[in-house]
């Protein structure tokens, strides 16, 4: 009898499994990996400010990947980078590694790599001269960290491939973006502008990934706002507002028990602005309920003094980060991807003059004629960390809302098309009655490029909206390269400051061959563009592709098609404006490299890709971008030696937490340690800083350097000094559990002979109530 019941149960189980498999639309897999890079000495990518040198970690950077496959059919890979942008050289080397590992399964056609556009990540990983001048050339450590991280995130996603479903949802987010070049936007036709309620795109589109076994395992969303909540003077590595939003959502998912099966002993309530919500943010699951006897806590804390520096046997002794505990289940991966952010700022209070407090000049973003006095203000002004948190939090809250209410099932083919184009001489047929044929131009940057934006002003006497230039800077320009009359005519009305497309010493200054790519997952179509499209440029591109996909009458795509732009993908070629915006020559127009017909060229070629996708035809070209790795020059000096004063060990405190200290949520706790250069070991699987909690006599990790609340700041007493300090600052979260805590620092020192030695040290203990 028991055997019969066993057989019946076994049969039912098999039938249930079979039914679940048939209900799943795709194979889906998600993965993520650290790409933080060197946290010292390296210039940051984005603002082109030579003085913005990395000196610590706000929170770590990651590559986040999803893979979607039809069982036995096509598959696509999308990688979202906590980096300023994708890099052609990085993309080439990732493709080479994937081919070595997986053959032709993953290649340039079906793999997309997109950057979130943080301006607070290490530079030096792109291959063209103009993008690595301020980083003193190529930085191999930055490059390797990104390539390795992308590869590892794809491997993890590949190994996690399981049956599952995808849901899509979208909605408006109104308070996380404004147009930073409204005068250029207003030059677009009034009839066109009247079709839109706002002068920036307010819609967020989100994909929710649901694993058949584990339930919801992650989400990727696209929303346009610049990664410039952190200013051009910030020196801590940070994912800015989108990286922060990803941290908040992944922590929320952990507290919610996603993926299914988590056992959490504590839940804390998130404060979003001034309002309470049901959302949760991470407090380490090992923290028990708070002590009730404050006196006992104070006595306990006073018994733990600073440990002093201690040598570690190897980097493996460095504490693994708090989030690396997986309990045999996949981790929740949430990516906040970039879209057509070209003219979109997160500094939503507007731009003001720092000398008078008055609004900047509307047309030129100057203050008494000076661009360097005009700055945009974020919602947390004057605290850029608070602005980053607020804009990240607003994206996070909207993403959770879309995640929770996503009901539209993604279904249909998985497909892709990709090709390379030479944008230095692309023939473009203009969509007018005469069908006039024009050409794009070799790359060049205008005078207004040097003026910067209200997110990060430039220097000297440059200003946005300059369509003339001036004699002095033209003379300086001519020392490098005098543009030809043909180039001057092609780029009109842009006055050329740098003729980068024709500069190739010591190697190419700017790209000419660019990738364009479409990824399709059912009714979701992702347009991967190698630059920053402005709001209206993105709208025109999306509309053109949608018209192609929906106007053939086949019913393959309907009114429910979701078209998103994935900006800064696969390589980087600066900005793309509309022709009308280009005439105004603000920063975005001056940075539209290939002339006034650049957008028309993109629209023409994406329409061809969309048509090929729709009709099942192959599409491509024989063009290939150059691999300039062997030509790269690096002028960044290596770490020579680390040292401490006589009688002092690495990891000793030089400024400890005050004795018998008691803190409360919102307070800042800090301690400074004798340290060594973070370039000696990136601690990719570890952490430079840790907040530890005393649990039944054992110190356990609670917060690390991937937490928004904990900052790792590194400094030298002088530029060439072998001595250095690490300061750990912990802004105690509102969700903290009362108890005894201490700060711990990890690092790696380098001897004169090049030997790397790891160390650690702790502060004295303190009480949090």
């Amino acid at each position: 009898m028991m055997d019969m019941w066993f057989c019946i149960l076994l049969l039912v189980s098999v039938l249930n499994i079979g039914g679940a498999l048939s209900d799943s639309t795709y194979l889906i897999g998600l993965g993520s990996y650290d790409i933080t890079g060197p946290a010292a000495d390296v210039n940051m990518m984005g603002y082109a400010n030579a003085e913005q040198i990395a000196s610590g970690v706000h929170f770590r950077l990651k590559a986040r990947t999803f893979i979607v496959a039809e069982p036995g059919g096509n598959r696509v890979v999308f990688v979202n980078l906590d980096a300023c942008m994708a890099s052609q050289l990085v993309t080439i080397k990732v493709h080479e590694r994937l081919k070595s590992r997986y053959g032709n399964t993953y290649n340039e056609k079906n793999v997309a790599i997109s950057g979130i556009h943080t301006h607070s990540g290490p530079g030096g990983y792109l291959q063209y001269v103009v993008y690595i001048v301020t980083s003193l050339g190529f930085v191999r450590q930055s490059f390797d960290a990104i390539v390795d991280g992308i590869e590892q995130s794809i491997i993890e996603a590949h190994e996690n491939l399981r049956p599952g479903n995808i849901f899509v949802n979208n909605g408006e987010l109104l308070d996380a973006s404004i147009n930073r070049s409204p005068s250029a936007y207003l030059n677009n036709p009034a009839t066109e502008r009247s079709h839109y309620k706002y002068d920036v795109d307010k819609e967020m589109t989100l994909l929710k990934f649901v694993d058949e076994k584990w339930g919801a395992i992650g989400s990727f969303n696209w929303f346009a706002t610049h990664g410039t909540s952190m200013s051009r003077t910030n020196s801590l590595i940070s994912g800015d507002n989108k990286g922060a939003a990803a941290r908040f959502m992944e922590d929320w998912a952990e507290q919610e028990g996603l993926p299914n099966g988590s056992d959490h002993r504590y839940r804390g309530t998130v404060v979003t602005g001034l309002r309470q919500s049901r959302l949760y943010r991470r407090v380490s699951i090992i923290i028990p309920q708070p002590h009730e006897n404050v006196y006992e806590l104070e006595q306990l804390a006073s018994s733990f003094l600073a440990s002093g520096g201690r040598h570690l046997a190897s980097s493996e002794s460095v504490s693994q980060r708090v989030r690396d505990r997986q309990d045999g289940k996949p981790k929740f991966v949430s990516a906040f991807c970039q879209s057509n952010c070209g003219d979109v700022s997160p500094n939503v209070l507007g731009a003001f003059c720092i000398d008078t407090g008055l609004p900047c000049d509307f047309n030129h973003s100057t203050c008494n004629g000076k661009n360097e006095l005009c700055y945009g203000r974020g919602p947390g002004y004057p605290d850029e960390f608070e602005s980053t948190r607020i804009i990240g939090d607003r994206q996070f809250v909207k993403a959770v809302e879309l995640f929770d209410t996503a009901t539209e099932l993604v279904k249909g083919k998985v497909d892709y098309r990709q090709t390379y184009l030479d944008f230095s001489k692309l023939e473009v047929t203009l969509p007018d009655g005469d069908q006039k044929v024009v050409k794009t131009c070799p790359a060049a940057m205008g005078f207004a490029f040097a003026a910067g934006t209200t997110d990060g002003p430039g220097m000297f006497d440059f200003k946005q909206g300059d369509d003339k230039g001036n004699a002095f800077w033209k003379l300086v320009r001519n020392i490098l390269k005098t543009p030809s009359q043909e180039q001057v005519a092609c780029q009109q009305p842009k006055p050329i400051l740098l003729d980068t497309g024709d500069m190739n010493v010591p190697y190419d200054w700017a790209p000419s061959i660019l990738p364009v790519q479409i990824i399709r997952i059912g009714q979701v179509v992702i347009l991967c563009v190698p630059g920053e499209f402005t709001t209206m440029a993105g709208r025109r591109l999306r509309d053109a592709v949608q018209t192609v996909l929906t106007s053939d009458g086949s019913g393959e795509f309907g009114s429910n098609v979701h078209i998103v732009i994935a900006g800064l993908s696969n390589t980087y070629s600066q900005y793309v404006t509309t022709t009308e915006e280009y005439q105004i020559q603000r920063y975005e127009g001056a940075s539209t490299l290939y002339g006034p017909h650049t957008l028309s060229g993109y629209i023409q070629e994406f329409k061809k890709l969309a048509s090929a996708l729709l009709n099942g035809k192959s599409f491509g070209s024989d063009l290939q971008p150059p691999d300039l790795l062997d030509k790269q020059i690096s002028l960044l000096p290596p770490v020579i030696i680390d040292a401490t004063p006589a009688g002092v060990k690495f990891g000793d405190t030089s400024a400890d937490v005050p004795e018998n200290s008691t803190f409360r949520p919102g307070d800042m706790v800090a301690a400074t340690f004798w340290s060594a250069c973070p370039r000696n070991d990136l601690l990719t699987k570890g952490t430079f800083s840790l907040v530890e909690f005393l649990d039944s006599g054992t110190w356990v990790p609670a917060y690390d350097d991937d937490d928004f609340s904990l900052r790792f700041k590194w400094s030298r007493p002088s530029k060439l000094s072998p001595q250095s300090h690490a300061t750990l600052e912990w802004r105690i979260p509102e969700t903290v559990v009362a108890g005894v805590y201490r700060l711990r620092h990890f690092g790696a020192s380098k001897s004169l002979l090049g030997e790397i030695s790891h160390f650690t040290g702790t502060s004295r203990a303190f009480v949090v109530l």
Side-chain angles (χ1 to χ4, degrees):
M1 189 67 174
M2 291 297 292
D3 290 343
M4 181 183 71
W5 281 110
F6 176 80
C7 292
I8 292 173
L9 288 171
L10 182 60
L11 178 61
V12 170
S13 298
V14 171
L15 290 175
N16 283 340
I17 292 172
L21 285 173
S22 65
D23 290 340
S24 296
T25 313
Y26 304 109
L27 298 176
I28 58 176
L30 277 66
S32 65
Y33 202 82
D34 192 335
I35 60 166
T36 301
D41 300 332
V42 176
N43 181 248
M44 289 180 164
M45 182 62 200
Y47 286 115
N49 176 15
E51 297 179 357
Q52 189 189 14
I53 305 298
S55 62
V57 177
H58 180 205
F59 56 87
R60 286 185 172 260
L61 311 180
K62 287 186 179 180
R64 294 176 170 88
T65 295
F66 73 70
I67 300 177
V68 177
E70 293 180 277
N74 288 337
R75 63 180 59 196
V76 292
V77 180
F78 187 89
V79 183
N80 185 65
L81 295 179
D82 284 350
C84 193
M85 67 280 290
S87 153
Q88 186 66 74
L89 189 56
V90 167
T91 301
I92 288 170
K93 295 309 174 185
V94 167
H95 291 158
E96 289 179 359
R97 292 195 185 187
L98 294 177
K99 182 175 180 61
S100 176
R101 184 179 293 273
Y102 298 114
N104 291 321
T105 301
Y106 304 115
N107 52 61
E108 62 194 18
K109 301 290 186 184
N110 67 349
V111 176
I113 302 172
S114 175
I116 64 169
H117 211 38
T118 175
H119 286 42
S120 295
Y125 63 92
L126 290 90
Q127 70 172 355
Y128 296 104
V129 171
V130 76
Y131 305 132
I132 56 176
V133 169
T134 57
S135 62
L136 300 179
F138 187 68
V139 180
R140 186 70 194 224
Q141 205 171 30
S142 293
F143 174 80
D144 285 344
I146 294 176
V147 173
D148 292 346
I150 294 172
E151 181 187 24
Q152 291 301 318
S153 72
I154 293 174
I155 291 171
E156 185 175 285
H158 177 85
E159 292 179 348
N160 285 338
L161 277 170
R162 289 178 44 84
N165 289 311
I166 306 171
F167 297 87
V168 61
N169 201 3
N170 50 52
E172 285 190 339
L173 173 56
L174 300 181
D175 55 359
S177 59
I178 62 168
N179 196 306
R180 71 185 187 189
S181 289
S183 60
Y185 180 87
L186 288 173
N187 206 45
N188 293 307
T191 53
E192 181 180 34
R193 289 186 279 110
S194 69
H195 296 158
Y196 304 98
K197 188 175 181 180
Y198 305 105
D199 60 1
V200 295
D201 285 338
K202 298 290 189 178
E203 186 169 85
M204 175 184 287
T205 299
L206 178 139
L207 296 181
K208 176 179 180 178
F209 297 91
V210 181
D211 183 281
E212 181 183 89
K213 175 182 178 181
W214 295 105
I217 57 172
S219 67
F220 279 57
N221 71 71
W222 289 263
F223 176 77
T225 193
H226 246 78
T228 49
S229 293
M230 301 296 290
S231 74
R232 69 193 299 272
T233 60
N234 168 61
S235 65
L236 300 186
I237 290 175
S238 174
D240 211 277
N241 57 71
K242 286 190 175 292
R247 295 310 182 284
F248 299 160
M249 191 156 184
E250 288 174 350
D251 291 346
W252 164 82
E254 182 184 6
Q255 292 299 319
E256 288 286 276
L258 301 176
N260 295 332
S262 296
D263 177 22
H264 293 268
R265 296 169 58 189
Y266 178 85
R267 292 185 181 226
T269 305
V270 152
V271 179
T272 55
L274 296 177
R275 65 191 186 276
Q276 295 275 334
S277 84
R278 69 170 186 81
L279 307 177
Y280 302 109
R281 204 161 289 169
R282 184 187 63 79
V283 174
S284 180
I285 62 174
I286 46 76
I287 297 180
Q289 293 301 313
H291 292 264
E292 295 181 358
N293 192 323
V294 176
Y295 176 75
E296 288 184 3
L297 285 179
E298 293 173 343
Q299 289 295 108
L300 185 60
S302 67
S303 66
F304 290 95
L305 304 178
S307 68
R310 181 167 60 86
H311 176 74
L312 296 173
S314 69
S315 61
E316 294 179 359
S317 302
V318 177
S319 177
Q320 199 174 45
R321 293 205 301 274
V322 173
R323 287 173 179 80
D324 285 347
R325 309 161 192 269
Q326 292 308 310
D327 303 324
K329 62 182 177 64
K331 60 191 175 190
F332 190 93
V333 178
S334 182
F336 285 69
C337 311
Q338 194 56 270
S339 189
N340 52 317
C341 67
D343 53 356
V344 188
S345 172
N347 295 312
V348 294
L349 298 186
F352 296 86
C353 299
I354 59 175
D355 56 344
T356 65
L358 298 174
C360 305
D361 174 80
F362 181 77
N363 291 313
H364 302 291
S365 295
T366 56
C367 302
N368 295 318
K370 297 180 181 293
N371 68 76
E372 58 264 43
L373 298 178
C374 176
Y375 277 88
R377 293 179 180 177
Y381 175 83
D383 185 341
E384 61 189 312
F385 293 96
E386 182 63 5
S387 291
T388 300
R389 186 198 66 78
I390 292 171
I391 297 296
D393 194 69
R394 290 172 180 175
Q395 292 177 77
F396 152 63
V397 171
K398 172 55 67 172
V400 171
E401 175 191 319
L402 296 178
F403 182 87
D404 279 348
T405 59
T407 58
E408 182 184 339
L409 182 67
V410 177
K411 52 186 176 180
K413 296 178 182 177
V414 173
D415 210 349
Y416 48 87
R417 293 294 184 275
Q418 183 267 0
T419 191
Y420 289 106
L421 302 167
D422 188 344
F423 261 83
S424 70
K425 54 182 179 181
L426 182 68
E427 290 191 350
V428 182
T429 302
L430 296 180
D432 54 28
D434 297 332
Q435 294 289 289
K436 181 180 179 181
V437 177
V438 296
K439 280 188 176 182
T440 55
C441 322
M445 296 190 293
F447 273 66
F449 160 78
T453 71
T454 56
D455 291 337
M459 296 185 295
F460 305 113
D461 54 350
F462 297 101
K463 64 180 180 181
Q464 296 193 67
D466 184 357
D467 59 1
K468 299 289 190 299
N470 68 59
F472 172 76
W473 288 111
K474 287 180 179 178
L475 181 64
V476 173
R477 170 202 67 191
N478 292 343
I479 296 173
L480 292 172
K481 173 72 171 62
T482 303
S484 67
Q485 288 303 309
E486 181 182 13
Q487 173 75 321
V488 170
C490 188
Q491 293 279 352
Q492 282 291 340
K494 178 199 294 179
I496 298 173
L497 177 64
L498 289 174
D499 191 18
T500 53
D502 289 325
M503 298 168 69
N504 53 21
V505 178
Y507 44 87
D508 293 350
W509 279 53
S512 58
I513 298 175
L514 304 178
V516 291
Q517 182 183 39
I518 292 182
I519 285 176
R520 176 194 179 180
I521 307 168
Q523 70 268 33
V524 178
V525 178
I526 304 172
L527 310 181
C528 303
V529 299
E532 303 173 59
F533 278 55
T534 61
T535 298
M536 194 63 84
R539 288 168 175 170
R540 290 183 187 178
L541 178 62
R542 288 197 306 264
D543 289 348
V545 170
Q546 182 167 353
T547 298
V548 171
L549 294 178
T550 59
S551 62
D552 75 325
S554 67
E556 181 76 13
F557 291 92
S559 59
N560 68 331
V561 63
H562 300 266
I563 299 178
V564 298
I565 290 175
L568 306 113
S569 293
N570 299 318
T571 190
Y572 184 62
S573 58
Q574 295 178 242
Y575 284 73
V576 180
T577 63
T578 66
T579 304
E580 295 86 351
E581 291 165 350
Y582 186 88
Q583 306 305 309
I584 302 301
Q585 280 299 295
R586 283 183 63 93
Y587 175 84
E588 295 81 13
S591 303
T592 297
L593 296 183
Y594 308 103
H597 305 300
T598 301
L599 175 60
S600 297
Y602 274 108
I603 290 174
Q604 171 182 282
E605 298 305 315
F606 266 101
K607 288 171 68 175
K608 293 178 183 178
L609 284 180
S611 179
L613 184 78
L614 186 64
N615 298 317
K617 295 181 179 179
S618 60
F619 194 90
S621 72
D622 294 330
L623 289 174
Q624 289 290 323
D627 179 344
L628 303 178
L629 181 60
D630 292 340
K631 295 185 177 182
Q632 296 301 310
I633 297 171
S634 178
L635 302 178
L636 180 69
V639 179
I640 303 299
I641 186 175
D642 295 290
T644 59
V648 174
K649 303 187 296 298
F650 291 108
D652 282 355
T653 55
S654 63
D656 205 349
V657 177
E659 291 184 59
N660 302 320
S661 294
T662 298
F663 300 94
R664 287 174 172 76
D667 291 343
M668 177 77 82
V669 185
T672 300
F673 301 83
W674 288 99
S675 191
C677 184
R679 291 164 60 197
N680 295 325
D681 189 333
L682 304 183
L683 299 187
T684 298
K685 292 185 178 181
T687 179
F688 291 108
S689 53
L690 198 63
V691 176
E692 295 182 317
F693 177 84
L694 187 62
D695 181 17
S696 301
T698 302
W699 290 103
V700 291
Y703 300 85
D704 58 30
D705 66 10
D706 200 24
D707 273 284
F708 195 90
S709 64
L710 182 59
R711 302 172 196 168
F712 162 61
K713 296 182 174 181
W714 181 82
S715 63
R716 291 188 180 98
S718 61
K719 190 171 183 179
L720 299 178
S721 174
Q723 298 179 6
S724 64
H725 291 102
T727 298
L728 276 55
E729 294 180 349
W730 183 38
R731 177 72 68 182
I732 302 175
E734 297 295 327
T735 54
V736 74
V737 172
V740 176
Y741 291 83
R742 69 181 182 183
L743 305 178
R744 178 184 287 274
H745 170 49
F746 295 94
S749 63
K750 185 176 184 180
S751 71
L752 188 58
L753 298 178
E755 180 183 1
I756 302 297
S757 301
H758 293 82
F759 62 87
T760 187
T762 69
S763 72
R764 63 167 57 95
F766 53 91
V767 174
V768 174
L769 297 179

